[in-house]
Amino acid sequence: MVNGKEVIAQVPPQMLLLTFLRERLRLTGTKNGCAQGHCGACMVIFDGEAKRSCLIKMSQADGKRVETIEGLAPPGELHPLQAAFIRQGAIQCGFCTPGMIMSAKALLDENPSPSVEEIKSALARNLCRCTGYVSIIRAVQEASEMMRQGIKSVSPPSLLERSYQVVGQAVARKDAVLKAKGDTKYADDLFVEGTVYAKALRSEYPHAEILGIDTREAEATPGVIAVLTAKDVPGHNGFGLIFPHQPVLARDKVRYVGDAVALVVAETQDIAEEALRKIRVDYRELRGVFTPQEALLPDAPKIHEEGNILKHHKIRRGDIDKGFAEADVIIEGRYYTPFIEHAYLEPEASLAVPEKDGCLTVYSASQGVFTDRDQISAILNLPKEKVRAIHLPTGGAFGGKEEPVVQVLSALAAYHTKRPVKVVFSRKESIRVHPKRHAQYLHYRTGAAREGRIVAVEVEILGDTGAYASLGAEVLFRSACFSCGPYRIPNVKVDAYAVYTNNVPCGAMRGFGTPQPAFAAESQMDRVAEQLGLDPLEIREINALEEGDTTITGHILESSVGIKESLAAVKKAVARTEQEMQERRKRGSKIGVGVACAYKNVGLGGVIKDAAGAIVELKEDGTIKLSVGTAEMGQGTYSAMAQIAAQTLGINYNKIEVFGGDTSSEILDSGVTTASRQTFVSGNAVLAASQKLKETILSFASQEFNIDPQRISIRGDRIVDKGDGRNLIGLAELAALARKKGQILRADHYYLAPRTYPLPERADWDPSVSPETYRIHFSYCFGTQAAIVEVDEETGEVKILKVIAAHDVGKAIHPRNVKGQMEGGVVMGLGYALREEFRLEEGRIITDTLSKCHIPTIRETPEIEAIIVEDSHPQGPYGAKGMGEVSMSPTAPAIINAIHDALGIRITELPATREKILQALEEKGRFKKPSSS
C-alpha cells in the first residue's frame, strides 16, 4: 500500500524503495539527497514509523504500508504540519521539507504533545542546511496544537496575503505551498521521454599526465550510446566564471581528483556505471602540492604554466611602522580555518534537451543561467541564441552552484547524442567535484592605544584556492577588504594570496571570503581588550565604524552604517541573560560569553558592472506577471520581489506571479545570484518597473473614464476614484479592455547599481581625486553576535546555550525570511566553529560522505535570538540592502571568544573540537581528568 492505494509491481528485490517511489511511481516528493541514510530527505512513514527509504530494499516492502508527502492531505488541502511549516517560515530551499514533515508526522501520530527535546530526537536524522532548525521546531509545535484542537486540514488560499501593503510583513512565501506538498520539481525530478544518462570518469590522481585513454571496451557495452573524451569537445574545452580554464574533459593533464577524464552516455545509470569501470586510462603521476606554503616554494611544481599564485591583493593605508610605534600594546597571532563542504541537500543535477529547431535547452539548479548559457555556447561552439538555460528550484547552494560543473556535461552529451541527457551527481561525486570554502592561513599583528583605539593592523593571508581559479581571486579580494572588521583603523597593511594547489578547487561559499578573517580579526580584538583590561563589547564600541568614517580600503561611508546599533542591541540582550548565567556559574558550570562583529559587501563591487532587469505585465485574469533574472535558492528572493511589486503597484500580493531564470525570456542578463545583491539590485529593477506600470495603468484608465489620473489609484484588484471611493473597474476587466484595443499593459526596467571602482594602490585620501573613486562597494551589511556557552572541562564538550544575533539589513522586506537567514547563518557558523572540516590527505578526499562533514543537526540547535536592525539605505528598494551571507561570519569567533571566557584558553585553529580544547587545557596546566564512576 502506498498512500492508501494497493500497488502491484514486479521489480528487482535489491531495488531501493526510494528508487521505486521516484522512478516507477513518480512520487518525487521523496528526495534523494545522499542514498546513504545520512540526510533524511528520503524519509517516508513505513508501517507507522519514520524510515529512510534509501535504506529499504523492495524485498522488505512487500505487504507494507508506505506514506509519502503526496498522501499527507486530501487533494487541494494542506495537513496542519504543512500549513505550520509555511506559517513559521520553516521552508527555505524546500529540498529537506518533505522528509522533515514525514518525520514530524510520525512523531505526532505517536505523541500528540511532544516536548522540544522529543521533537529534536524525532527529527535528528533529518538534515537542514538552510533554516537553522529553529523555525522547524516552532512549526511542529504549532501543528501539534492545531491537531489537538481537531484541525485536520487547511486550505492553501487561506495562507496567502490578500493585501498590497506587504513590505515589512511576514507573508507566506510564493513557493511555500508547492514545497510543503512535495510538488516542487527540482532537476532530478524532471522526466522527459527518451532520456538517457551520462556519468563522468574522474581522475585517479591529484596530479598526473594523461598518456592515453582506451574506451573500446566501454563503447562495446550493451546500452552504451557514446563515450566522450576531450577530443569530442567542439569548442573551448574549459569553464569557469572568471577564468574558464577548468577542462570539461581533461586532455593532457589532471590537477585534482575531481577532474573529468571521460563521459559515458547510456540508456540507464547502471549501464553508465558499468561502462565507466571498463575505461582504461594510462597516467604518469606527478608530484603534487597540497598547501599554499608548499606551492610557494621555489622548487614547487607548477600547477599552471603562469605559476602557483592566482592573485596577490594588497591594501596599504597610512604608515604601518608609525602606527605600531605609537601602539601601547601589540598582539600577534596565527590562525587557521579549514576547507568547508557546502553540504546543500540537493546534489547537482542537470537535464539537457535538444529541441527540434536545433537549439539546446539546459535545465539546472544554477545560481546564474546567463553565465551558464555563455559558457555552454563557447564549449559547444554554438551561437548564444542556440542555447537556452533555465533555472530550476534549487535545493540549497550557498555559492556552491555558481560553477556549471554538471551543466557542461549534460549539454555536451546531448549535443553529441541528440537525445535528452540527464546527469545527476551522487553525493560522493558532488563532494569530490564542486568548489569548497577556502582553507586559509592568517597571520595578524594588531596595535592599540591604551584607551582601546586600534592604531595599526598588519595581515597576511594565504588562501588555498585548489587546482583551478573558480572565484578564488575574488574570494581573497573580499578576505583582504574585510580583514580588519567593521572598525576605524588608520594604518593598515594587508597581503592576501590566492594560491593554486592540487586540492579540490575553492570558490564561493556563504560569506565569500569574510568568515575566515572575521575569526582571526575578532579573536585579535578580544586579545587586545584582555591585554588592556577592557570589556570586549567596549573595545568594539570604541572602534566601530560610523557614518563619515573611512574603511581600510578608503571608502567614506555616507549612510546606512548599522554596526553600533547592532552592538547596542546585543549588549542589551546579553544583559538580560546575566542572572541565569550567574546561577549556572554558582552550580559549578563553566559559562562563557563571547562577542564578535562582521560586515560584508552588498553587490559585486570592484569595478564590475552590477545590474538587473525586471518586466511587469497586467494579465487579463487580473494577475501581475513579474519576470526577473534572479535565481531562487531558498533565500526568498521571489517573495521579496513580489512584495516590492505589490506595495509599489497597490495590487494584492496574492495576485503577483513571479517568473525567473530563463535566458529565452526578454529579461536582460541579471548576473549571478551572489554577493547578497538581489534584494538591492533586482529589487530596484522591480520597484522602477512597477512604478512605470502603475503610471501606464492609471493613464489608460484615466483616458477610458475621462478622469484626471491624479484622482484615481489602484487598490487591491480594482481602480478606484480617490475622491468618492467609487470602484471604477476591476484590473482584469481593464487588461481585457486594453487588449481589445491592441495595448498590452506592461513595463520594464534595467537597473544599474551605483558605480564601483578597483582597489586603489593606496587607500589614503587624495584631495586631487574624487572620494567616489574609493568606493569599491556601494553598500554594506553589518552584524554583531554574542554566544553563551557551557564547557565541560572533563570532556571538552561545548554546549551552545544561546546565540544573540543582531544584523543591520537596511529595511527588512520580509522580516520572517530575514530572521530565517540569521538563524540558518548562525547554525552554519556553529558548525564552522565546532564541528565541520573538509579533510584531504595529499589531495585525496577523506570527508567523502555527508556524515563525515559533521554538519549540525537539530540536536545542536541552541536558542537563537534574532534581532533585526534597520538602518535604511537611501538607494535601496524601500531602504533594503541584503544580509544572506553576513549572518554566519560573527558566529564562529563569538563562540571561540566565549570558550576563552569560560576556560581561559585560546583556540586558533577551527574547528574547536573536544580534542583541541582538552589539549589547550593540558598545555595550560588545567586539564581535568574525568572523574571515575
Side-chain angles (χ1 to χ4, degrees), residues 389-442:
I390 297 177
H391 165 75
L392 294 176
T394 304
F398 314 111
K401 293 177 179 175
E402 292 191 23
E403 297 286 6
V405 293
V406 66
Q407 297 93 316
V408 297
L409 299 179
S410 65
L412 180 66
Y415 172 87
H416 279 286
T417 63
K418 311 304 179 188
R419 299 273 298 273
V421 178
K422 184 186 281 191
V423 179
V424 182
F425 285 179
S426 67
R427 177 57 63 179
K428 190 170 185 177
E429 186 175 18
S430 172
I431 290 173
R432 183 175 184 172
V433 172
H434 77 250
K436 306 290 181 274
R437 186 187 299 284
H438 285 73
Q440 290 190 4
Y441 302 81
L442 308 102

Side-chain angles (χ1 to χ4, degrees), residues 258-401:
D259 266 329
V261 175
L263 186 68
V264 172
V265 189
E267 295 291 347
T268 70
Q269 296 193 56
D270 289 342
I271 294 172
E273 290 277 10
E274 178 188 352
L276 285 182
R277 293 190 289 270
K278 298 177 180 180
I279 298 173
R280 300 291 176 259
V281 183
D282 186 11
Y283 293 102
R284 184 173 75 87
E285 188 173 6
L286 300 173
R287 175 187 161 200
V289 291
F290 307 109
T291 67
Q293 294 87 342
E294 187 181 354
L296 294 176
L297 293 174
D299 65 340
K302 287 186 177 181
I303 296 167
H304 296 281
E305 287 304 314
E306 61 272 20
N308 290 344
I309 297 178
L310 168 62
K311 190 70 176 179
H312 174 199
H313 297 288
K314 299 179 182 179
I315 297 175
R316 302 291 186 267
R317 175 173 165 78
D319 185 331
I320 193 70
D321 294 330
K322 182 182 177 183
F324 280 118
E326 294 174 351
D328 295 306
V329 60
I330 297 174
I331 299 294
E332 187 167 359
R334 293 184 181 274
Y335 304 89
Y336 171 75
T337 61
F339 298 107
I340 295 292
E341 159 66 23
H342 295 73
Y344 31 72
L345 269 290
E346 178 204 22
E348 294 82 351
S350 175
L351 175 68
V353 181
E355 307 292 355
K356 292 180 181 179
D357 61 1
C359 293
L360 183 68
T361 301
V362 182
Y363 301 86
S364 71
S366 168
Q367 291 187 235
V369 291
F370 290 94
T371 60
D372 288 358
R373 176 203 61 190
D374 294 351
Q375 293 186 69
I376 290 168
S377 67
I379 289 164
L380 300 181
N381 198 25
L382 292 174
K384 289 182 181 179
E385 59 268 21
K386 288 292 185 180
V387 177
R388 179 185 182 188
I390 297 177
H391 165 75
L392 294 176
T394 304
F398 314 111
K401 293 177 179 175

Side-chain angles (χ1 to χ4, degrees), residues 622-675:
T623 62
I624 293 291
K625 179 182 179 182
L626 170 59
S627 300
V628 291
T630 178
E632 174 60 74
M633 304 176 294
Q635 78 277 39
T637 188
Y638 285 0
S639 300
M641 297 304 106
Q643 287 175 274
I644 292 169
Q647 184 89 17
T648 307
L649 287 163
I651 295 174
N652 290 343
Y653 173 77
N654 66 320
K655 295 292 184 180
I656 312 291
E657 297 182 3
V658 185
F659 299 84
D662 185 342
T663 60
S664 72
S665 70
E666 298 174 77
I667 292 293
L668 295 174
D669 185 350
S670 296
V672 178
T673 297
T674 186

Side-chain angles (χ1 to χ4, degrees), residues 115-358:
S115 65
V116 170
E117 288 307 312
E118 287 169 332
I119 293 171
K120 287 184 175 183
S121 178
L123 273 60
R125 295 175 298 172
N126 294 81
L127 294 180
C128 176
R129 193 62 156 163
C130 298
T131 66
Y133 303 104
V134 177
S135 56
I136 291 171
I137 295 170
R138 292 196 305 262
V140 177
Q141 291 173 318
E142 180 185 333
S144 170
E145 177 62 27
M146 291 169 66
M147 293 169 71
R148 289 198 302 273
Q149 293 175 5
I151 298 173
K152 296 182 178 180
S153 64
V154 176
S155 172
S158 67
L159 302 174
L160 299 178
E161 182 60 54
R162 297 176 184 274
S163 170
Y164 57 85
Q165 295 177 324
V166 288
V167 166
Q169 301 301 311
V171 297
R173 288 174 52 126
K174 282 293 177 181
D175 53 1
V177 171
L178 287 177
K179 287 178 176 177
K181 294 173 68 177
D183 290 342
T184 297
K185 298 302 178 188
Y186 300 84
D188 192 26
D189 299 335
L190 300 184
F191 294 93
V192 174
E193 188 68 30
T195 294
V196 295
Y197 300 86
K199 287 193 172 292
L201 180 69
R202 303 288 173 180
S203 172
E204 296 176 32
Y205 299 98
H207 199 198
E209 289 182 6
I210 299 174
L211 303 179
I213 304 175
D214 185 347
T215 62
R216 290 172 296 179
E217 188 180 353
E219 290 169 339
T221 303
V224 168
I225 299 164
V227 181
L228 308 175
T229 59
K231 63 179 172 51
D232 299 304
V233 179
H236 176 68
N237 186 11
F239 65 93
L241 276 172
I242 306 297
F243 187 16
H245 69 153
Q246 183 168 348
V248 179
L249 296 172
R251 183 183 300 274
D252 304 315
K253 191 177 184 182
V254 291
R255 294 177 174 85
Y256 85 113
V257 294
D259 266 329
V261 175
L263 186 68
V264 172
V265 189
E267 295 291 347
T268 70
Q269 296 193 56
D270 289 342
I271 294 172
E273 290 277 10
E274 178 188 352
L276 285 182
R277 293 190 289 270
K278 298 177 180 180
I279 298 173
R280 300 291 176 259
V281 183
D282 186 11
Y283 293 102
R284 184 173 75 87
E285 188 173 6
L286 300 173
R287 175 187 161 200
V289 291
F290 307 109
T291 67
Q293 294 87 342
E294 187 181 354
L296 294 176
L297 293 174
D299 65 340
K302 287 186 177 181
I303 296 167
H304 296 281
E305 287 304 314
E306 61 272 20
N308 290 344
I309 297 178
L310 168 62
K311 190 70 176 179
H312 174 199
H313 297 288
K314 299 179 182 179
I315 297 175
R316 302 291 186 267
R317 175 173 165 78
D319 185 331
I320 193 70
D321 294 330
K322 182 182 177 183
F324 280 118
E326 294 174 351
D328 295 306
V329 60
I330 297 174
I331 299 294
E332 187 167 359
R334 293 184 181 274
Y335 304 89
Y336 171 75
T337 61
F339 298 107
I340 295 292
E341 159 66 23
H342 295 73
Y344 31 72
L345 269 290
E346 178 204 22
E348 294 82 351
S350 175
L351 175 68
V353 181
E355 307 292 355
K356 292 180 181 179
D357 61 1

Side-chain angles (χ1 to χ4, degrees), residues 643-709:
Q643 287 175 274
I644 292 169
Q647 184 89 17
T648 307
L649 287 163
I651 295 174
N652 290 343
Y653 173 77
N654 66 320
K655 295 292 184 180
I656 312 291
E657 297 182 3
V658 185
F659 299 84
D662 185 342
T663 60
S664 72
S665 70
E666 298 174 77
I667 292 293
L668 295 174
D669 185 350
S670 296
V672 178
T673 297
T674 186
S676 302
R677 61 186 285 269
Q678 291 297 354
T679 298
F680 193 107
V681 181
S682 286
N684 268 317
V686 171
L687 177 67
S690 299
Q691 289 169 336
K692 291 178 183 179
L693 178 60
K694 184 175 184 178
E695 292 174 7
T696 299
I697 291 172
L698 294 178
S699 175
F700 180 79
S702 71
Q703 293 173 23
E704 289 301 311
F705 290 92
N706 193 26
I707 190 171
D708 184 350

